């Protein structure tokens, strides 16, 4: 190995990473563009399924709406694809790398978009959405992993939060495209919203060719020189910069430490490692995997998808809303405009306070919407004298108050749990299981997304449970669970390198984690144990024994 193969140990915990440069911001900001996939694909389908031209394509001519089974299949098949795509991506990211896996996801996504655009019936459309879903699963899991591994530690939370902002932008763009094409009388009313997705895959896929691979992936594969080159590019430092050498030494020593704790002997054992350790110890792999998957479960339990997909029809049925699109657009704009607040707060106050107080704000809003609704609001309507089949709200002001508290709920979600859950899952896993841990966490998000989408109609349909405003008691109760969960189980990771997060989780509990400060480095400990110099070329023969699992 040239030049800097032998390093002086660095015991300065503040000098394990180079100063932040504008180039680092640009690289990470571009990677977050992948959130557009997630947001747009989730958002456009609601407008498409309402297009009469699309309905005539799928249903027998003359039908005014999609049948329940067809609507459910078209909407939910994407989530099925993303669930399995996220799990497959965990393996791909280990074997071929983070960046190539995202590029592969873009290609899969583009194939799915082409099939959907070319479809003339249900079969090809469903196949296209399934394939596109696999691509979205690749992207949604590995973009978070990639960003967490390349972002500078002091702004990692803000930059990863940019992924959630890109999701909200995707939803907004989808709403605008649907609105612009809804009045078309030709197949462009649904082909245009579908085809625009092609651009997102093309932009991200081509752009990633010019970005470096994650240095932590190279270290895990034992390619130390490649890791050094990637760090040099990411940190915009000269070759063999002391900052690059210090960060590289810390990554290598941490990888060796974690690999000794969880040795991997094959594909099965590499997955089994995600579930090793004690449930009662914060640093165990099992505890981290449960934390990541349950965080994404809790994010879905907040009821945010119910708000976006079902609250507007709820409120419209009272006659208090004349234009459902305007209310939907207001909710979407609140979502978009509130998310950037987290860029500042996630680094200023930390991840843990955001999740704790965000859940508290959400539960207050949900319970207020429920209480107003069952007392004087949405649940109290009367027949419209001009149209006996329609209903009018007894108290329009009360319904407007419900709308206001729903908007405030969206503010709390978008500025806290929306980005916060993604930030934390990218930080809590040790390198040997990181790609699979993030993949499992993302798959959990999509699994619960699907479950809630399936059960919600049964909760609110007039011919089923017909909970009406009482459904917000359910979401309020689940937000209460999220509040208690965040207080007792979520650690603080603000301002720490991924290697320091590992050390913090070994030495603290979630409630004491915010007081923890780095006091040494893995590289310095290794140097003290074996001498004054750290020879990367001969550290446990890492160049020759890097695990492919």
């Amino acid at each position: 190995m040239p030049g800097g193969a032998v390093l002086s140990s660095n015991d300065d915990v503040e000098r394990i990473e180079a100063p932040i440069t504008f180039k680092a911001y640009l690289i990470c900001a571009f990677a977050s563009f992948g959130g557009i996939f997630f947001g747009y694909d989730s958002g456009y389908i609601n407008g498409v399924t309402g297009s009469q031209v699309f309905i005539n394509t799928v249903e027998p001519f003359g039908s005014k709406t999609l049948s329940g089974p067809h609507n459910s299949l078209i909407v939910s098949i994407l989530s099925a694809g993303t669930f399995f795509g996220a799990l497959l991506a965990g393996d791909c990211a280990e074997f071929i790398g983070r960046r190539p896996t995202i590029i592969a996801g873009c290609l899969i996504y583009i194939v799915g978009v082409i099939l959907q655009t070319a479809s003339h019936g249900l079969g090809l459309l469903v196949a296209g959405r399934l394939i596109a879903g696999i691509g979205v699963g690749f992207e949604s899991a590995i973009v978070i992993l990639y960003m967490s591994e390349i972002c500078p530690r002091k702004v990692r939370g803000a930059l990863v939060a940019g992924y959630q902002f890109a999701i909200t932008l995707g939803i907004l763009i989808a709403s605008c495209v649907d609105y612009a094409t809804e009045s078309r009388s030709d197949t462009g009313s649904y082909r245009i919203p579908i085809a625009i997705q092609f651009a997102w895959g093309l932009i991200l896929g081509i752009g990633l060719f010019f970005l470096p691979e994650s240095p932590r992936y190279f270290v895990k594969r034992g390619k130390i020189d490649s890791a050094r080159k990637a760090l040099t590019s990411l940190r915009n430092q000269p070759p063999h910069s002391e900052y690059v050498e210090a960060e590289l030494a810390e990554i290598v020593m941490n990888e060796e430490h974690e690999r000794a704790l969880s040795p991997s002997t094959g594909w099965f054992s590499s997955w089994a490692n995600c579930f090793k350790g004690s449930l009662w110890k914060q640093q165990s792999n099992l505890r981290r995997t449960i934390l990541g998957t349950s965080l994404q479960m809790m994010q879905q339990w907040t009821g945010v998808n119910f708000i976006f997909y079902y609250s507007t029809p709820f409120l419209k049925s009272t006659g208090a809303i004349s234009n459902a699109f305007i209310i939907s657009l207001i909710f979407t704009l609140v979502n978009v405009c509130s998310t950037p607040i987290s860029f500042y707060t996630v680094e200023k106050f930390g991840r843990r306070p955001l999740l704790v107080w965000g859940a508290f704000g959400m539960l207050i809003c949900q319970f207020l919407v429920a209480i107003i609704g069952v007392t004087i609001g949405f649940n109290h309507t009367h027949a419209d004298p001009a149209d006996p089949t329609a209903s009018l709200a007894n108290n329009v002001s009360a319904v407007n108050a419900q709308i206001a508290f729903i908007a405030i709920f969206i503010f709390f979600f978008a500025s806290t749990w929306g980005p916060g859950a993604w930030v934390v899952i990218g930080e809590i896993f040790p390198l040997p299981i990181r790609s699979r841990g993030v993949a499992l966490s993302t798959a959990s998000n999509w699994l619960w997304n699907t479950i809630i989408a399936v059960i919600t109609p049964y909760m609110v349909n007039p011919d089923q449970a017909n909970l009406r405003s009482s459904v917000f008691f359910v979401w309020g109760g689940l937000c209460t669970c999220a509040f208690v969960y965040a207080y007792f189980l979520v650690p603080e990771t603000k301002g720490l390198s991924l290697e320091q997060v590992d050390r913090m989780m070994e030495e603290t509990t979630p409630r004491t984690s915010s007081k923890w400060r780095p006091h040494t480095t893995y590289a310095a400990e290794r140097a003290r144990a074996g001498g004054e110099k750290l020879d990367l070329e001969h550290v446990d023969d890492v160049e020759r024994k890097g695990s492919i699992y």
Side-chain angles (χ1 to χ4, degrees):
M1 296 192 44
V6 180
L7 305 177
S8 296
S9 63
N10 184 3
D11 205 7
D12 186 347
V13 295
E14 294 300 322
R15 290 181 64 83
I16 59 168
E17 190 174 272
I20 303 168
T21 64
F22 184 64
K23 179 181 179 181
Y25 278 112
L26 287 180
I27 290 174
C28 298
F30 180 79
S32 69
F33 178 82
I36 293 281
F37 282 48
F38 193 152
Y40 188 89
D41 217 291
S42 299
Y44 88 90
I45 195 62
N46 295 303
V48 166
T49 53
S51 164
Q52 190 59 51
V53 179
F54 178 79
I55 293 169
N56 292 340
T57 302
V58 175
E59 302 289 352
F61 187 75
S63 177
K64 296 296 183 182
T65 60
L66 287 175
S67 68
H70 284 169
N71 194 9
S72 176
L73 176 63
I74 291 169
V75 173
S76 64
I77 195 66
L78 178 85
S79 296
T82 51
F83 173 78
F84 291 106
L87 292 177
L88 288 171
D91 275 337
C92 289
E94 287 297 287
F95 288 110
I96 66 175
R98 284 52 162 152
R99 189 175 61 105
T101 299
I102 301 173
I103 294 173
C106 292
L107 294 175
I108 296 170
Y109 180 75
I110 287 172
V111 171
V113 170
I114 292 172
L115 292 178
Q116 291 177 75
T117 306
S119 65
H120 291 279
L122 184 65
L124 195 59
L125 177 76
V126 169
R129 278 185 64 76
L130 177 64
I131 293 170
I134 294 173
V136 174
F138 269 57
E139 174 277 326
S140 60
I142 308 306
V143 163
I144 292 296
L145 171 65
Y146 179 67
M147 291 183 67
S148 297
E149 291 191 336
I150 68 172
C151 288
R153 62 191 173 99
K154 292 184 178 179
V155 293
R156 185 178 59 242
L159 291 171
V160 174
Y163 177 80
Q164 177 67 20
F165 180 59
I167 292 175
T168 65
L169 280 178
I171 295 172
L172 176 62
I173 293 170
S175 297
C176 293
V177 171
D178 283 344
Y179 183 67
T181 59
E182 68 175 353
S183 60
R184 294 179 67 102
S185 58
D186 58 9
T187 58
S189 64
Y190 69 90
R191 293 190 195 277
I192 291 173
I194 293 173
I196 284 176
Q197 299 173 95
F198 187 88
W200 314 141
L202 209 60
I203 292 170
L204 184 62
I206 292 175
L208 280 168
F209 274 106
F210 300 98
L211 300 187
E213 177 58 273
S214 164
R216 288 173 171 86
Y217 165 74
F218 283 132
V219 167
K220 190 173 189 300
R221 294 298 297 268
K223 299 179 179 180
I224 305 302
D225 212 32
S226 297
R228 178 181 285 110
K229 291 177 182 176
L231 269 178
T232 298
S233 176
L234 286 168
R235 304 297 181 242
N236 200 26
Q237 292 287 309
H240 305 299
S241 156
E242 63 173 298
Y243 288 109
V244 169
E245 296 301 319
E247 184 173 0
L248 180 58
E250 185 68 357
I251 294 171
V252 170
M253 289 300 94
N254 172 259
E255 195 276 339
E256 185 191 49
H257 171 76
E258 294 293 345
R259 184 155 45 92
L261 295 176
S262 303
S264 176
T265 57
W267 177 83
F268 180 80
S269 70
S270 65
W271 277 103
N273 281 341
C274 294
F275 304 97
K276 284 186 175 180
S278 169
L279 179 63
W280 311 111
K281 293 183 179 179
Q282 181 181 227
Q283 73 270 26
S284 73
N285 288 353
L286 173 63
R287 178 75 170 265
R288 299 187 203 212
T289 300
I290 291 175
L291 175 61
T293 53
S294 56
L295 260 177
Q296 292 295 323
M297 176 185 73
M298 291 285 179
Q299 190 196 58
Q300 292 299 309
W301 276 12
T302 61
V304 67
N305 283 334
F306 171 82
I307 297 294
F308 280 111
Y309 298 140
Y310 293 99
S311 65
T312 300
F314 247 39
L315 300 168
K316 186 179 180 182
S317 67
T318 66
I321 297 175
S322 58
N323 190 326
F325 175 78
I326 295 299
I327 297 299
S328 176
L329 184 61
I330 289 172
F331 288 166
T332 303
L333 286 173
V334 171
N335 193 27
V336 172
C337 295
S338 301
T339 303
I341 296 172
S342 67
F343 298 174
Y344 173 77
T345 55
V346 75
E347 298 297 353
K348 175 66 175 178
F349 303 110
R351 287 64 160 153
R352 181 177 160 83
L354 243 64
L355 296 178
V356 171
W357 293 109
F360 183 74
M362 288 189 293
L363 74 88
I364 294 295
C365 291
Q366 295 280 25
F367 281 128
L368 284 173
V369 173
I371 293 168
I372 294 171
V374 299
T375 53
I376 58 173
F378 173 77
N379 287 19
H380 299 270
T381 59
H382 59 273
D384 185 351
D387 182 3
T389 63
S391 60
L392 296 176
N394 291 352
N395 190 327
V396 174
S397 296
V399 175
N400 288 338
Q402 288 183 277
I403 295 173
F405 281 115
I406 289 173
I408 296 170
F409 163 84
I410 294 171
F411 163 78
F412 277 113
F413 175 85
S415 58
T416 59
W417 272 81
W422 293 109
V423 172
V424 173
I425 68 166
E427 298 175 329
I428 58 175
F429 294 102
L431 183 56
I433 67 164
R434 186 172 295 141
S435 66
R436 291 180 171 98
V438 174
L440 285 167
S441 301
T442 306
S444 173
N445 181 290
W446 287 108
L447 175 64
W448 284 99
N449 185 310
T450 305
I451 290 171
I452 289 174
V454 169
I455 67 173
T456 296
Y458 294 98
M459 297 165 67
V460 299
N461 283 354
D463 57 343
Q464 302 289 340
N466 195 24
L467 291 179
R468 308 185 80 183
S469 290
S470 297
V471 75
F472 289 95
F473 282 119
V474 176
W475 306 129
L478 292 173
C479 285
T480 303
C481 293
F483 172 71
V484 175
Y485 172 90
Y487 179 77
F488 285 105
L489 294 176
V490 176
E492 181 55 74
T493 56
K494 180 187 75 168
L496 304 178
S497 70
L498 297 182
E499 291 68 40
Q500 289 169 344
V501 170
D502 282 347
R503 176 80 69 182
M504 176 272 294
M505 296 187 79
E506 292 174 0
E507 299 178 355
T508 70
T509 65
R511 284 184 289 170
T512 61
S513 58
S514 60
K515 299 177 182 178
W516 186 86
R517 297 293 180 268
H519 51 84
T520 188
T521 65
Y522 287 99
E525 287 186 355
R526 177 60 181 260
R528 283 194 291 269
E532 286 303 314
K533 298 290 183 180
L534 175 62
D535 187 349
L536 287 186
E537 192 171 12
H538 299 97
V539 172
D540 199 23
D541 284 334
V542 70
E543 283 260 274
R544 293 179 289 279
K545 296 183 181 178
S547 169
I548 65 170
Y549 300 106

